[in-house]
Amino acid sequence: MAQTKEMTRCIELCLSCYRTCLGMAMNHCLETGGKHVEPKHFRLMMACAEMCRTSAHFMLINTPHHKHTCRECAEICSECAQDCERIGGMDECVAMCRSCAESCRAMAA
């Protein structure tokens, strides 16, 4: 099974989302403090970053199991986007998570 254009795009989005979530959590959130470091929010950002990395990995190794990781990734990214929006000042993360969720939802179908 060759990598499709959609899969290549999804891998790129997952890797970008991984970088964005991890970067924002470790820099923006940690330095801003307050509600940005609430355990629930911070854990969600870490889970999102890791799930994005895992989904990209599963697609890169071309396993049909990527449908499962992509489904979970879409769910976590949507939740992360919502939470980052709730906290505010994290528009880059919100947009990235939404794009990734949409792409992963399509890959999971």
Side-chain angles (χ1 to χ4, degrees), residues 17-29:
C17 198
Y18 162 66
R19 276 194 299 272
T20 301
C21 281
L22 191 61
M24 285 211 75
M26 288 300 145
N27 297 290
H28 174 77
C29 290

Side-chain angles (χ1 to χ4, degrees), residues 86-101:
R86 172 187 70 84
I87 283 176
M90 300 181 73
D91 295 347
E92 188 191 349
C93 211
V94 172
M96 190 71 248
C97 284
R98 286 204 175 123
S99 298
C100 190

